[in-house]
Amino acid sequence: MVVSEKTLKWGLCLYPPMLFQRIWVKKFHKGFRGVDVKINKSIFNKNYNGSIFGGTIYAATDPFYALLFDQLLQREGFKVRVWLKSASIQYLKPGRGNLYFTITVTDDMLNDAIEALNTSGKFVKAYPMEITNAEGEICATVMNEVYVRNLHQGEQPRIAY
């Protein structure tokens, strides 16, 4: 479904898994070319050591590359199914305060996806992310592998019976 940046921002901010972990979408960039996200430290996501629970950091990074590619490719006329195929995280420093990250989808990234969808019908690529604290220190690095399938390339809908 094609939606506006503002609609998706508020939908995600109020989505219970994001809301209760205090993951806040600050804004989607114009045309879904990126997103700014804040992970607020609170009693709901604080671990035994007083830093942000690693699962919250991991969960915060989960949906965004898939959402951005989905919205961008739909606007290019593709009917796609997009997943986060795999992810890995490396914790470098405790998140003792709020954490932040920004994702940007460049023209080259989008063109790579379009070319792969037009030739093979699928696109799989990993992209890095850096999670920083308010001082700009990197607290975690994440590698998200995005999987995109062009549904016009022969995928049949599943029947659930």
PDB file of all heavy atoms in Angstrom, residues 22-43:
ATOM      1  N   ARG A  22       9.654   2.292  23.006  1.00  0.00           N
ATOM      2  CA  ARG A  22      10.063   3.695  22.946  1.00  0.00           C
ATOM      3  C   ARG A  22      10.910   4.009  21.714  1.00  0.00           C
ATOM      4  O   ARG A  22      11.834   4.797  21.753  1.00  0.00           O
ATOM      5  CB  ARG A  22      10.781   4.107  24.232  1.00  0.00           C
ATOM      6  CG  ARG A  22      10.027   3.782  25.505  1.00  0.00           C
ATOM      7  CD  ARG A  22       8.871   4.698  25.786  1.00  0.00           C
ATOM      8  NE  ARG A  22       9.415   6.002  26.152  1.00  0.00           N
ATOM      9  CZ  ARG A  22       8.917   7.148  25.722  1.00  0.00           C
ATOM     10  NH1 ARG A  22       7.856   7.163  24.965  1.00  0.00           N
ATOM     11  NH2 ARG A  22       9.453   8.284  26.052  1.00  0.00           N
ATOM     12  N   ILE A  23      10.576   3.337  20.593  1.00  0.00           N
ATOM     13  CA  ILE A  23      11.235   3.575  19.313  1.00  0.00           C
ATOM     14  C   ILE A  23      10.385   4.609  18.582  1.00  0.00           C
ATOM     15  O   ILE A  23       9.200   4.376  18.341  1.00  0.00           O
ATOM     16  CB  ILE A  23      11.360   2.274  18.511  1.00  0.00           C
ATOM     17  CG1 ILE A  23      12.182   1.244  19.288  1.00  0.00           C
ATOM     18  CG2 ILE A  23      11.957   2.555  17.135  1.00  0.00           C
ATOM     19  CD1 ILE A  23      12.058  -0.174  18.777  1.00  0.00           C
ATOM     20  N   TRP A  24      10.976   5.731  18.247  1.00  0.00           N
ATOM     21  CA  TRP A  24      10.222   6.851  17.706  1.00  0.00           C
ATOM     22  C   TRP A  24      10.766   7.260  16.340  1.00  0.00           C
ATOM     23  O   TRP A  24      11.945   7.574  16.202  1.00  0.00           O
ATOM     24  CB  TRP A  24      10.317   8.036  18.669  1.00  0.00           C
ATOM     25  CG  TRP A  24       9.341   9.105  18.362  1.00  0.00           C
ATOM     26  CD1 TRP A  24       9.596  10.292  17.749  1.00  0.00           C
ATOM     27  CD2 TRP A  24       7.936   9.083  18.621  1.00  0.00           C
ATOM     28  NE1 TRP A  24       8.431  11.017  17.620  1.00  0.00           N
ATOM     29  CE2 TRP A  24       7.399  10.288  18.160  1.00  0.00           C
ATOM     30  CE3 TRP A  24       7.083   8.152  19.203  1.00  0.00           C
ATOM     31  CZ2 TRP A  24       6.050  10.597  18.254  1.00  0.00           C
ATOM     32  CZ3 TRP A  24       5.741   8.465  19.300  1.00  0.00           C
ATOM     33  CH2 TRP A  24       5.246   9.675  18.831  1.00  0.00           C
ATOM     34  N   VAL A  25       9.899   7.245  15.338  1.00  0.00           N
ATOM     35  CA  VAL A  25      10.267   7.731  14.011  1.00  0.00           C
ATOM     36  C   VAL A  25      10.193   9.248  14.063  1.00  0.00           C
ATOM     37  O   VAL A  25       9.119   9.812  14.235  1.00  0.00           O
ATOM     38  CB  VAL A  25       9.325   7.174  12.918  1.00  0.00           C
ATOM     39  CG1 VAL A  25       9.698   7.748  11.557  1.00  0.00           C
ATOM     40  CG2 VAL A  25       9.347   5.661  12.902  1.00  0.00           C
ATOM     41  N   LYS A  26      11.338   9.898  13.943  1.00  0.00           N
ATOM     42  CA  LYS A  26      11.350  11.357  13.955  1.00  0.00           C
ATOM     43  C   LYS A  26      10.770  11.898  12.657  1.00  0.00           C
ATOM     44  O   LYS A  26       9.951  12.811  12.675  1.00  0.00           O
ATOM     45  CB  LYS A  26      12.760  11.876  14.188  1.00  0.00           C
ATOM     46  CG  LYS A  26      13.247  11.595  15.605  1.00  0.00           C
ATOM     47  CD  LYS A  26      14.709  11.886  15.827  1.00  0.00           C
ATOM     48  CE  LYS A  26      15.106  13.271  15.473  1.00  0.00           C
ATOM     49  NZ  LYS A  26      16.538  13.539  15.753  1.00  0.00           N
ATOM     50  N   LYS A  27      11.214  11.319  11.517  1.00  0.00           N
ATOM     51  CA  LYS A  27      10.624  11.723  10.234  1.00  0.00           C
ATOM     52  C   LYS A  27      11.102  10.790   9.136  1.00  0.00           C
ATOM     53  O   LYS A  27      12.187  10.228   9.193  1.00  0.00           O
ATOM     54  CB  LYS A  27      10.967  13.164   9.870  1.00  0.00           C
ATOM     55  CG  LYS A  27      12.401  13.365   9.431  1.00  0.00           C
ATOM     56  CD  LYS A  27      12.620  14.762   8.907  1.00  0.00           C
ATOM     57  CE  LYS A  27      14.041  14.895   8.387  1.00  0.00           C
ATOM     58  NZ  LYS A  27      14.280  16.130   7.720  1.00  0.00           N
ATOM     59  N   PHE A  28      10.242  10.628   8.138  1.00  0.00           N
ATOM     60  CA  PHE A  28      10.639  10.016   6.881  1.00  0.00           C
ATOM     61  C   PHE A  28      11.053  11.152   5.962  1.00  0.00           C
ATOM     62  O   PHE A  28      10.369  12.177   5.895  1.00  0.00           O
ATOM     63  CB  PHE A  28       9.474   9.236   6.247  1.00  0.00           C
ATOM     64  CG  PHE A  28       9.298   7.862   6.823  1.00  0.00           C
ATOM     65  CD1 PHE A  28       8.323   7.621   7.772  1.00  0.00           C
ATOM     66  CD2 PHE A  28      10.109   6.814   6.416  1.00  0.00           C
ATOM     67  CE1 PHE A  28       8.163   6.358   8.314  1.00  0.00           C
ATOM     68  CE2 PHE A  28       9.952   5.545   6.940  1.00  0.00           C
ATOM     69  CZ  PHE A  28       8.977   5.315   7.891  1.00  0.00           C
ATOM     70  N   HIS A  29      12.146  10.990   5.263  1.00  0.00           N
ATOM     71  CA  HIS A  29      12.606  12.015   4.326  1.00  0.00           C
ATOM     72  C   HIS A  29      11.642  12.084   3.142  1.00  0.00           C
ATOM     73  O   HIS A  29      10.934  11.119   2.850  1.00  0.00           O
ATOM     74  CB  HIS A  29      14.010  11.698   3.840  1.00  0.00           C
ATOM     75  CG  HIS A  29      15.014  11.598   4.951  1.00  0.00           C
ATOM     76  ND1 HIS A  29      16.341  11.349   4.720  1.00  0.00           N
ATOM     77  CD2 HIS A  29      14.890  11.703   6.302  1.00  0.00           C
ATOM     78  CE1 HIS A  29      16.990  11.296   5.866  1.00  0.00           C
ATOM     79  NE2 HIS A  29      16.127  11.511   6.837  1.00  0.00           N
ATOM     80  N   LYS A  30      11.657  13.201   2.470  1.00  0.00           N
ATOM     81  CA  LYS A  30      10.751  13.427   1.334  1.00  0.00           C
ATOM     82  C   LYS A  30      10.919  12.314   0.299  1.00  0.00           C
ATOM     83  O   LYS A  30      12.023  11.943  -0.066  1.00  0.00           O
ATOM     84  CB  LYS A  30      11.041  14.786   0.707  1.00  0.00           C
ATOM     85  CG  LYS A  30      10.086  15.176  -0.383  1.00  0.00           C
ATOM     86  CD  LYS A  30      10.289  16.623  -0.779  1.00  0.00           C
ATOM     87  CE  LYS A  30       9.454  17.049  -1.943  1.00  0.00           C
ATOM     88  NZ  LYS A  30       8.047  16.825  -1.835  1.00  0.00           N
ATOM     89  N   GLY A  31       9.798  11.767  -0.144  1.00  0.00           N
ATOM     90  CA  GLY A  31       9.807  10.709  -1.141  1.00  0.00           C
ATOM     91  C   GLY A  31      10.321   9.378  -0.634  1.00  0.00           C
ATOM     92  O   GLY A  31      10.721   8.526  -1.413  1.00  0.00           O
ATOM     93  N   PHE A  32      10.342   9.191   0.681  1.00  0.00           N
ATOM     94  CA  PHE A  32      10.823   7.948   1.320  1.00  0.00           C
ATOM     95  C   PHE A  32      12.282   7.647   0.972  1.00  0.00           C
ATOM     96  O   PHE A  32      12.681   6.504   0.887  1.00  0.00           O
ATOM     97  CB  PHE A  32       9.924   6.757   0.975  1.00  0.00           C
ATOM     98  CG  PHE A  32       8.620   6.793   1.695  1.00  0.00           C
ATOM     99  CD1 PHE A  32       7.482   7.229   1.043  1.00  0.00           C
ATOM    100  CD2 PHE A  32       8.531   6.425   3.026  1.00  0.00           C
ATOM    101  CE1 PHE A  32       6.269   7.296   1.710  1.00  0.00           C
ATOM    102  CE2 PHE A  32       7.328   6.486   3.702  1.00  0.00           C
ATOM    103  CZ  PHE A  32       6.193   6.913   3.050  1.00  0.00           C
ATOM    104  N   ARG A  33      13.086   8.690   0.825  1.00  0.00           N
ATOM    105  CA  ARG A  33      14.511   8.490   0.533  1.00  0.00           C
ATOM    106  C   ARG A  33      15.326   8.245   1.797  1.00  0.00           C
ATOM    107  O   ARG A  33      16.523   8.001   1.734  1.00  0.00           O
ATOM    108  CB  ARG A  33      15.077   9.681  -0.231  1.00  0.00           C
ATOM    109  CG  ARG A  33      14.650   9.702  -1.684  1.00  0.00           C
ATOM    110  CD  ARG A  33      14.943   8.330  -2.307  1.00  0.00           C
ATOM    111  NE  ARG A  33      14.779   8.333  -3.727  1.00  0.00           N
ATOM    112  CZ  ARG A  33      15.774   8.210  -4.582  1.00  0.00           C
ATOM    113  NH1 ARG A  33      16.997   8.045  -4.181  1.00  0.00           N
ATOM    114  NH2 ARG A  33      15.522   8.227  -5.865  1.00  0.00           N
ATOM    115  N   GLY A  34      14.688   8.302   2.954  1.00  0.00           N
ATOM    116  CA  GLY A  34      15.401   8.043   4.200  1.00  0.00           C
ATOM    117  C   GLY A  34      14.476   8.159   5.383  1.00  0.00           C
ATOM    118  O   GLY A  34      13.291   8.484   5.249  1.00  0.00           O
ATOM    119  N   VAL A  35      15.055   7.894   6.561  1.00  0.00           N
ATOM    120  CA  VAL A  35      14.291   7.973   7.804  1.00  0.00           C
ATOM    121  C   VAL A  35      15.244   8.308   8.943  1.00  0.00           C
ATOM    122  O   VAL A  35      16.401   7.889   8.942  1.00  0.00           O
ATOM    123  CB  VAL A  35      13.528   6.647   8.084  1.00  0.00           C
ATOM    124  CG1 VAL A  35      14.481   5.491   8.303  1.00  0.00           C
ATOM    125  CG2 VAL A  35      12.568   6.781   9.251  1.00  0.00           C
ATOM    126  N   ASP A  36      14.752   9.103   9.900  1.00  0.00           N
ATOM    127  CA  ASP A  36      15.481   9.415  11.125  1.00  0.00           C
ATOM    128  C   ASP A  36      14.724   8.778  12.284  1.00  0.00           C
ATOM    129  O   ASP A  36      13.505   8.987  12.416  1.00  0.00           O
ATOM    130  CB  ASP A  36      15.557  10.926  11.351  1.00  0.00           C
ATOM    131  CG  ASP A  36      16.298  11.654  10.242  1.00  0.00           C
ATOM    132  OD1 ASP A  36      17.257  11.080   9.697  1.00  0.00           O
ATOM    133  OD2 ASP A  36      15.914  12.799   9.926  1.00  0.00           O
ATOM    134  N   VAL A  37      15.444   8.004  13.113  1.00  0.00           N
ATOM    135  CA  VAL A  37      14.810   7.260  14.191  1.00  0.00           C
ATOM    136  C   VAL A  37      15.530   7.558  15.505  1.00  0.00           C
ATOM    137  O   VAL A  37      16.757   7.693  15.542  1.00  0.00           O
ATOM    138  CB  VAL A  37      14.852   5.736  13.908  1.00  0.00           C
ATOM    139  CG1 VAL A  37      14.207   4.946  15.038  1.00  0.00           C
ATOM    140  CG2 VAL A  37      14.165   5.428  12.586  1.00  0.00           C
ATOM    141  N   LYS A  38      14.750   7.645  16.573  1.00  0.00           N
ATOM    142  CA  LYS A  38      15.272   7.856  17.925  1.00  0.00           C
ATOM    143  C   LYS A  38      14.792   6.719  18.809  1.00  0.00           C
ATOM    144  O   LYS A  38      13.611   6.354  18.772  1.00  0.00           O
ATOM    145  CB  LYS A  38      14.765   9.193  18.471  1.00  0.00           C
ATOM    146  CG  LYS A  38      15.211   9.505  19.878  1.00  0.00           C
ATOM    147  CD  LYS A  38      14.648  10.849  20.325  1.00  0.00           C
ATOM    148  CE  LYS A  38      15.086  11.210  21.720  1.00  0.00           C
ATOM    149  NZ  LYS A  38      14.474  12.485  22.160  1.00  0.00           N
ATOM    150  N   ILE A  39      15.695   6.162  19.596  1.00  0.00           N
ATOM    151  CA  ILE A  39      15.338   5.153  20.592  1.00  0.00           C
ATOM    152  C   ILE A  39      15.444   5.844  21.946  1.00  0.00           C
ATOM    153  O   ILE A  39      16.540   6.180  22.404  1.00  0.00           O
ATOM    154  CB  ILE A  39      16.276   3.931  20.536  1.00  0.00           C
ATOM    155  CG1 ILE A  39      16.339   3.362  19.128  1.00  0.00           C
ATOM    156  CG2 ILE A  39      15.835   2.876  21.554  1.00  0.00           C
ATOM    157  CD1 ILE A  39      17.467   2.361  18.918  1.00  0.00           C
ATOM    158  N   ASN A  40      14.298   6.097  22.570  1.00  0.00           N
ATOM    159  CA  ASN A  40      14.265   6.777  23.854  1.00  0.00           C
ATOM    160  C   ASN A  40      14.524   5.775  24.977  1.00  0.00           C
ATOM    161  O   ASN A  40      13.861   4.747  25.060  1.00  0.00           O
ATOM    162  CB  ASN A  40      12.891   7.422  24.077  1.00  0.00           C
ATOM    163  CG  ASN A  40      12.616   8.520  23.093  1.00  0.00           C
ATOM    164  OD1 ASN A  40      13.218   9.571  23.151  1.00  0.00           O
ATOM    165  ND2 ASN A  40      11.713   8.260  22.162  1.00  0.00           N
ATOM    166  N   LYS A  41      15.470   6.095  25.838  1.00  0.00           N
ATOM    167  CA  LYS A  41      15.722   5.231  26.997  1.00  0.00           C
ATOM    168  C   LYS A  41      14.614   5.464  28.014  1.00  0.00           C
ATOM    169  O   LYS A  41      14.267   6.607  28.321  1.00  0.00           O
ATOM    170  CB  LYS A  41      17.079   5.553  27.608  1.00  0.00           C
ATOM    171  CG  LYS A  41      17.419   4.655  28.783  1.00  0.00           C
ATOM    172  CD  LYS A  41      18.750   5.030  29.386  1.00  0.00           C
ATOM    173  CE  LYS A  41      18.939   4.249  30.658  1.00  0.00           C
ATOM    174  NZ  LYS A  41      20.012   4.807  31.457  1.00  0.00           N
ATOM    175  N   SER A  42      14.048   4.369  28.507  1.00  0.00           N
ATOM    176  CA  SER A  42      12.990   4.492  29.511  1.00  0.00           C
ATOM    177  C   SER A  42      12.972   3.243  30.383  1.00  0.00           C
ATOM    178  O   SER A  42      13.714   2.288  30.140  1.00  0.00           O
ATOM    179  CB  SER A  42      11.626   4.668  28.840  1.00  0.00           C
ATOM    180  OG  SER A  42      11.139   3.430  28.376  1.00  0.00           O
ATOM    181  N   ILE A  43      12.108   3.240  31.348  1.00  0.00           N
ATOM    182  CA  ILE A  43      11.956   2.078  32.222  1.00  0.00           C
ATOM    183  C   ILE A  43      11.484   0.851  31.437  1.00  0.00           C
ATOM    184  O   ILE A  43      11.732  -0.278  31.831  1.00  0.00           O
ATOM    185  CB  ILE A  43      10.992   2.401  33.388  1.00  0.00           C
ATOM    186  CG1 ILE A  43      11.067   1.309  34.435  1.00  0.00           C
ATOM    187  CG2 ILE A  43       9.582   2.600  32.889  1.00  0.00           C
ATOM    188  CD1 ILE A  43      10.470   1.685  35.763  1.00  0.00           C
TER     189      ILE A  43
END
